[in-house]
Amino acid sequence: DVKVTQSSRYLVKRTGEKVFLECVQDMDHENMFWYRQDPGLGLRLIYFSYDVKMKEKGDIPEGYSVSREKKERFSLILESASTNQTSMYLCASSQIRQGRAFFGQGTRLTVV
Amino acid sequence: TQLLEQSPQFLSIQEGENLTVYCNSSSVFSSLQWYRQEPGEGPVLLVTVVTGGEVKKLKRLTFQFGDARKDSSLHITAAQPGDTGLYLCAGGSWGDMRFGAGTRLTVKP
């Protein structure tokens, strides 16, 4: 069974902390994505990566960075967490040139 | 950025009713996907439509891709409480997939 695994289901962090969200996929997919989901706003693309060490900004990259050192792993980094980054974060992967994305279970991050 | 607009945003119906939700854009997509998301979980793919005018059926769900490949619809026949969830459409070029805001469907017994 295909799988995208996010390291935490729930996280509570303090304002100003550096936060790492990890995502691992076991499908050898080229594409990986990070979205945040907020009520009424849907899924907004933060960053995506189409290959190791490659990254592209999505619609809302400010305050975030990413790392893809290995094909199976895509990390989202909040350099200095702020309360407006409280959200559900979803990682996804897909094969290149194919639309179907597989999602992790999500990480609900609360910044206090 | 290719924007996808979904309507309605919320829909609450009784079991057994039919419904249609829409996904519209001013951009042409090579394909569109429909996902369903339950609370606390990630979205799960329902279908991908590729060809303009295409109609796909998945049991009581019927998906249609517009002739110009700018819009899509999802029709549910005889809705059941198990259909409750957030329905999302998505599309984009090969790397940067974008999602609509979704239609939150509630089917009451």
Side-chain angles (χ1 to χ4, degrees), chain B residues 29-52:
Chain B
F29 289 92
S30 57
S31 67
L32 276 180
Q33 296 82 45
W34 284 93
Y35 292 79
R36 180 165 161 259
Q37 184 179 21
E38 298 192 26
E41 300 295 330
V44 176
L45 182 74
L46 295 173
V47 79
T48 299
V49 286
V50 177
T51 307

Side-chain angles (χ1 to χ4, degrees), chain B residues 69-91:
Chain B
R69 306 208 315 274
K70 293 182 178 181
D71 55 85
S72 181
S73 63
L74 159 59
H75 181 81
I76 301 179
T77 304
Q80 298 176 1
D83 295 327
T84 292
L86 179 66
Y87 290 82
L88 297 157
C89 66

Side-chain angles (χ1 to χ4, degrees), chain A residues 92-103:
Chain A
S93 72
S94 72
Q95 280 185 306
I96 201 163
R97 295 190 182 87
Q98 287 197 14
R100 176 174 188 168
F102 294 84
F103 281 85

Side-chain angles (χ1 to χ4, degrees), chain A residues 12 31 36 80 84 90-91 102:
Chain A
V12 180
N31 295 337
R36 64 177 281 178
S80 177
N84 62 13
L90 289 161
C91 173
F102 294 84

Side-chain angles (χ1 to χ4, degrees), chain B residues 3-69:
Chain B
L3 294 177
L4 289 162
E5 294 185 0
Q6 290 190 246
S7 60
Q9 187 176 358
F10 298 97
L11 187 57
S12 180
I13 61 171
Q14 293 294 134
E15 182 176 3
E17 291 184 18
N18 301 331
L19 66 112
T20 302
V21 298
Y22 300 92
C23 174
N24 296 294
S25 176
S26 57
S27 302
V28 175
F29 289 92
S30 57
S31 67
L32 276 180
Q33 296 82 45
W34 284 93
Y35 292 79
R36 180 165 161 259
Q37 184 179 21
E38 298 192 26
E41 300 295 330
V44 176
L45 182 74
L46 295 173
V47 79
T48 299
V49 286
V50 177
T51 307
E54 180 178 5
V55 176
K56 278 192 175 178
K57 290 196 172 185
L58 191 67
K59 297 183 181 177
R60 294 177 293 100
L61 278 60
T62 301
F63 303 85
Q64 187 160 7
F65 200 13
D67 291 340
R69 306 208 315 274

Side-chain angles (χ1 to χ4, degrees), chain A residues 43-105:
Chain A
L43 277 74
R44 292 181 291 168
L45 183 64
I46 304 172
Y47 270 96
F48 69 96
S49 169
Y50 54 89
D51 201 352
V52 175
K53 296 192 186 295
M54 305 303 291
K55 60 185 178 184
E56 294 287 341
K57 292 180 180 179
D59 297 321
I60 51 164
E62 295 78 18
Y64 303 94
S65 62
V66 290
S67 172
R68 192 158 180 208
E69 295 296 319
K70 294 184 178 181
K71 190 175 185 180
E72 67 270 20
R73 187 180 297 269
F74 194 34
S75 303
L76 179 69
I77 304 150
L78 286 65
E79 298 292 343
S80 177
S82 63
T83 54
N84 62 13
Q85 293 178 309
T86 291
S87 187
M88 169 72 95
Y89 289 87
L90 289 161
C91 173
S93 72
S94 72
Q95 280 185 306
I96 201 163
R97 295 190 182 87
Q98 287 197 14
R100 176 174 188 168
F102 294 84
F103 281 85
Q105 76 278 29

